[in-house]
Amino acid sequence: MRSALKNLFVLTIFLLPQYVKAHPVTFKGGIAVMDYISPGRNDLMLHYSFSARQSVGLGVSRVEIADRDVNFIYPHFNFLIYRENAPDYQANFYLMAGAGLADFDGDIKLASFAGLQLDAESRRLYSAFEINELQSEGSLDVHRLKLRLGAAPYLAEFDELNSWILAEINYKPDSEDEIEGGPLLRFFKSNVFWELGVTTRGKVMGTLMVHF
């Protein structure tokens, strides 16, 4: 059932015409759907921006911990704390927080979610730093720290195919592979944003996102 719903999301978002950026808060009335795949973790997010600085979201995460999968579901709020729009770059600071449930092989427990995101980009250069944490009863903490740096090999208009070459590093203190990362290719055109990469251990990383 979960796989069928995810496939429906993916098929639907390719048909929706708007502009996309990888931010948890967009324009008033904007809706965003995002699927992020990384080694040992998969996050599916749905966000609705009820103002230019706040959005409400629903997250579903599957995390591999000690050879088992733990599933989280958590409504949450996203806040744009600071934005700087300069003539040749933009910088943003976001905070996220929410609460929900964690499923340990049928054992349901209360859970919480918190995070922050910092990013700055021009048409040529990109940087981002992100921290997020999932917690549940029973002293389960899932931490993720992510750093990204990248550059655009060419300049394109917003209605053309834009591409970036990125390097990503993840720190996961609760995982067997604490530090993992690698190169990614990022693309966006119109309302669709997607990334594909591979870690230095040969594991796939990817993102698919749309705003409408």
Side-chain angles (χ1 to χ4, degrees):
M1 179 66 177
R2 182 178 301 163
S3 177
L5 288 174
K6 182 180 292 187
N7 290 337
L8 180 61
F9 269 128
V10 172
L11 289 172
T12 301
I13 62 180
F14 276 112
L15 305 176
L16 302 170
Q18 282 289 346
Y19 291 94
V20 61
K21 287 189 177 182
H23 297 149
V25 181
T26 59
F27 52 89
K28 183 177 181 180
I31 298 174
V33 181
M34 186 272 284
D35 191 11
Y36 175 62
I37 300 171
S38 62
R41 180 164 175 170
N42 190 327
D43 299 292
L44 181 62
M45 299 284 187
L46 173 65
H47 293 149
Y48 171 73
S49 296
F50 52 88
S51 77
R53 289 189 169 269
Q54 297 173 319
S55 72
V56 62
L58 178 65
V60 178
S61 297
R62 178 191 57 80
V63 184
E64 295 179 10
I65 301 174
D67 298 323
R68 66 172 180 170
D69 289 347
V70 180
N71 297 297
F72 294 85
I73 182 168
Y74 44 97
H76 57 278
F77 288 95
N78 306 301
F79 304 93
L80 173 60
I81 303 300
Y82 174 79
R83 168 168 290 168
E84 181 171 350
N85 279 312
D88 55 352
Y89 74 92
Q90 182 183 95
N92 304 283
F93 173 37
Y94 299 93
L95 291 178
M96 298 85 79
L101 300 172
D103 180 1
F104 297 78
D105 297 324
D107 184 12
I108 308 299
K109 298 181 180 294
L110 295 176
S112 63
F113 165 75
L116 67 83
Q117 176 180 320
L118 299 163
D119 61 68
E121 61 182 296
S122 66
R123 295 187 64 197
R124 180 67 75 178
L125 300 175
Y126 172 82
S127 64
F129 176 70
E130 183 178 341
I131 301 174
N132 68 67
E133 180 181 74
L134 289 166
Q135 289 186 324
S136 74
E137 293 179 302
S139 300
L140 173 65
D141 295 335
V142 180
H143 301 86
R144 292 291 185 274
L145 281 75
K146 180 168 65 178
L147 174 65
R148 287 179 154 198
L149 298 172
Y154 62 90
L155 296 181
E157 299 301 324
F158 285 106
D159 58 348
E160 299 174 334
L161 178 65
N162 286 254
S163 63
W164 298 78
I165 300 172
L166 304 178
E168 176 177 308
I169 299 176
N170 287 281
Y171 174 58
K172 306 173 290 182
D174 46 87
S175 173
E176 181 179 344
D177 299 320
E178 286 193 0
I179 299 177
E180 194 165 27
L184 298 104
L185 295 177
R186 163 186 282 189
F187 305 94
F188 74 84
K189 178 176 171 55
S190 185
N191 65 312
V192 182
F193 167 101
W194 67 101
E195 299 173 334
L196 185 63
V198 62
T199 72
T200 55
R201 296 182 175 90
K203 299 177 182 178
V204 174
M205 303 181 292
T207 304
L208 179 62
M209 186 174 187
V210 70
H211 291 190
F212 58 95

